Amino acid sequence: MGDLRSGFVTVVGRPNVGKSTLVNAILGTKVTITSPRPNTTRRTVRGVLHRPGVQAVVVDTPGLHRPKSALGARLNDHVAEALDDIDVCVPVLDATAAVGPGDRLVLARAVDSPAQIVVVVNKLDHAPRPDVLERLAQAQAAVQEAGAPPERVIEYFPLSARTGEGVPALVDAVLARLEPGPAYFPDDMVSDVPEAFWVAELVREQLLAHVREELPHAIACRVTEWEWPVVRIDIVVERESQKGMVIGRGGALLKEVGSAVRAQLPPGAFVELRVRVEKHWQQRPDVIERLGY
């Protein structure tokens, strides 16, 4: 181990508070897809931050929410698993919205864990200063209501994951809390996300940016063939009527998505997209498992 300090840092919060954007900002590179749609993240994603003498494994998680489907329940299970045996927990709140029941649940889960806690109030760039101060006060009150003893040291950081304002101070505070430990990943590794899963997620990210409101939760993507430079990906929807929405008139949407994804891959990549229907897949544990969630 030498003089290395290391540990696991899990970022948690309700849907759409900016967890994935924050994880990418902490790492300084994109390891998880982002979208203004809630529940974009569907499984834990681990990125690795390397600093001299320090290695932090930063874990992005799905939004903690009240599930309405088997998929929703699975996402909450991922959050619970990500809170096991960690060193630092980073609950994320939204500066533009009052601290509500979902936020209090997140803070209570953090307090229940043995991890050190660093609370983030995100979206500083979208909230006036009085609102930010109010959120910080509400967060402190919620932590106390959750049963955190007065002697437990908990820090609070207002920041903007989108612009990066306040992120360096958060990173310094998190890294300062890590203790001597082993290197969990090689020095040149920035994420443990399998390459095929990453490409499928890039496709889903592009689709989320273009489809109508009723579609985001119904879309899943999975690589079915990887013979580089050819990558074939299935886009799964729940109803026949959704198929045409994803394809677009004359295949225009699929072409646009494919082009955007290829631009993020090494030169020469060929991305073939196919849309198929798996009826009510969000309620079917077998399909959820097969899709990698």
Side-chain angles (χ1 to χ4, degrees), residues 38-100:
N39 291 124
T40 297
T41 303
R42 287 179 173 170
R43 55 174 273 183
T44 52
V45 173
R46 286 179 287 271
V48 189
L49 178 63
H50 303 276
R51 292 280 178 86
V54 186
Q55 184 183 95
V57 183
V58 185
V59 185
D60 188 19
T61 62
L64 191 62
H65 64 294
R66 183 175 296 175
K68 297 180 180 178
S69 65
L71 175 63
R74 178 67 61 87
L75 301 188
N76 279 354
D77 289 343
H78 288 322
V79 179
E81 292 165 5
L83 288 171
D84 285 341
D85 196 24
I86 63 171
D87 300 281
V88 182
C89 182
V90 182
V92 181
L93 310 178
D94 185 341
T96 67
V99 172

Side-chain angles (χ1 to χ4, degrees), residues 47 109 129 151 239 277:
R109 292 282 184 91
R129 183 177 176 82
E151 64 272 15
R239 300 194 303 271
V277 177

